[in-house]
Amino acid sequence: MDVFAEKFADLKILRYSVPEFGKLDLQKKIYIYYLSQAALCGRDILWDQNNRYNLRVRYVLETIWNTFKGNRETPEFKQFEIYLKRVWFSNGIHHHYSTDKLPAGFAESYFDELVSGSKWPGFNFLSGKKLKIFIDEIKDVLFNPEKEIKRVSLDSESDLLRSSYNNYYKDVEQAEAEKFYVELKATGGAEPISFGLNSTLVKKEGQLTEIVWKLDGKYGLAINQIVFWLNKAIEYAENELQKKYIGHLIQYYVTGDLSLFDQYSIEWVKEQEGDVDFVNGFIEVYGDPLGIKGSWESIVNYKDPEASKRATILSGNAQWFEDHSPVDAAYKKTKVKGVSAKVINVAILAGDCYPATPIGINLPNAEWIREKHGSKSVTIENITQAYFLDSMNNGMLEEFASSVEEIERARTYGYQAGNLHTDLHECLGHGSGKVKEGVNTDNLANYYSTIEETRADLFALYYIMDEQVIKLGLLTSNDAAKAEFDAYLRNGLLTQLTRIKPGKDIEESHMRNRQLICRWVFEGGKEQKVVEFVCLNDKTYVKINDYQALRGLFGRLLKEIQRIKSEGDLEAARDLVENFGVKVDRILHVEILERFKKLDLAPYSGFLNPVYELKTWPCGKPSDVLIRYEEDYTAQMLRYSRDYGFLPMVND
Ligand code: ZN
C-alpha cells in the first residue's frame, strides 16, 4: 500500500494502513464494521455545524461535478475541481485550519457556465425561478468577500459570535450567550453536565433557547442512522461494560440528556479490558469561539499490543513522574488517578477527525469526570507511522535542520522520540497537576486551550530528557531526547510558520502553545546562548547549544504554567500567550515561506479511510469483513455524500 495518495492546493492526502486487521477474530471485525458505519453516518452533522450553507454548497458542487457536460479539461474546470476537493477536505467552505473562507479560485461568470451546463433533476422545487434563487444564494456565499468570512474568529476586538460563521448560534451576541451559560453553569453543582454541548443557541422572540441535537430534534435523521448501527454493534461488543456504555450513548442520542452523556463517559473510562474502542458524539469545542458547542466526530480503533507496552510503563509510573515534576508541591496530585494509556490503530476516521486527524486522543473533556474517574488517553500508531514515513522523504529535514548531525539524529531517533513525546503529553501531561478549589477552565477564558496544551507539551519536553525514561527502556539513547528538542524548536520557531499566511498572526491553540514555549525558552536562555538563531548561506537555522540548560528552562516554564492553571491566573495567561504565542516575526516568516515554497510541499495532510465490506453469505449472517485500500479521494468523498448523506440541505 502506498502512503501517498494525492496532492492539491495546500493539502496532501495520505493513506493509513490497518495492521493485521485480517487477523482479528470475527466478532471484533464485525464489531468494528458496525461501529465504522455508525461513524460514517454523522458526516452531515459536522458539515452543517461548520456553516449553515455547507450542505447546500456541497450539493451544488457535487451536482456540477457529476453532471457538467462542458469541457472538463480547461484550466478553469481544474480550478473548480481543486475548490471542490478543498471543500471536501474542510468539511465545508472554510479552511479546516485557518478557518478563513476558501477562495473559489475561478470567476463567478465561469460558475454560471458550470451551472447552466449541469443537470438539476429530481428536485422540482429547484426548477426554473427557484433554481435561480437557490443558485444566487450559493453564489453570494462563494464569491461575496463580505459573506461568511471566517468560521471561528478569536479576534478579541470584536464580538466573537458575530464574527464567527459557524452554525452554533443564531442571532445571538457574545455577551448574551456568555451570560446565558454562566447562569446555567451556576446551577450545575460539583458535577455539572457539559451545558450547551449538544445544542444550537438561538434567539426567538427575544428569548434565548437551545435547539437540542437528538433523535426527534435537530440532526435527527443522521442521529437515527447512528443509533441504528450502534444497536447492531451492541450484539458484537466484547464485554458487558461496552454493551452498557453503548446503551447509555444511544439513550443520550435519543433524549439529548447530557447527564446520560456523562454516565456514558464514566462507564467508557472504566472499560479497559476490550481491544476495540470508539468515540462517537459531540466532543471537541474548538469550532466554537466560546468553547461550549461540541463538533461531531467519530473514531473507531483497536489496541496495538506491542506499542501499548510503552504506554503501560508510563501509566504504571505516573506517580513517580508527578512526584518529581518541577511544579509547586501544592499543585501536584498526591495520588494520580486513572491514568490509562494505550497505543491504538484507527480503523475509521469520521466527522471532525476526517480527513485531517489528531495523532492522539485524550477524553473525556469534562474536568470533574477526569478528576474523579480518570481519563482515557491514546496515541494513534498507524497515523503517526504514516506521517513519519511520508516526512522522511519530503526534503524538509535537509532544508531546515542546522547540521548533518541533527539530520542523522532525526532519522535515527525521530520516530521513537516523537512517539514518546505524544505518549508523555497525552498519558501524563494532561492528567498531571491539580487546581485550587473553586478554580475551573472558565477562569482562563479563551486562553485555556493554549495554556492546557502548553502544560502537556512542557511535561513531555521536561521528562523526555530524564534518565528515568532510559531506565524504563522507553528510549534507547540520550540522543533521542536531543532529537526531540531539535524537532520541537525547529518546528516551533521555524517550520510551523509555513502554515501562516504572510502578515497574519497565530490563532490556533496548538500552534500558539508551541511558539509560546519556543520563544520563551529562547528569550530565557538568550544570555547564555542556550538556543540561538544562526545564519548559514543566507538561511536562518535554530541551533541548540546546551541541551541540559534547555531542559531546565522547560522545567521553569512548566512550573509557571501549572501555577497559572491551578490559580486561574487569567492575566498571566494572557501575557504569556499574547507576548510569546501570537505575534509572528515578519522578516523570518517571509524567509521561511520562500524556502518552503521551493520544496513545493503541502503544509497540511489528511487521510483516506479504507473500505470495509461485510460478507453476509451464507444465510444473511455476517461471516467476514474485508478491507480494501485502493479507493481514491474523489471516489471516497462522492461515495460518502451518496451513501451517508442523511440531512436536508437546510437544518435551521
Ligand atoms: Zn493535548
Side-chain angles (χ1 to χ4, degrees), residues 425-426 430 453 456 510:
H425 174 117
E426 298 288 346
H430 280 303
E453 292 309 324
H510 293 80

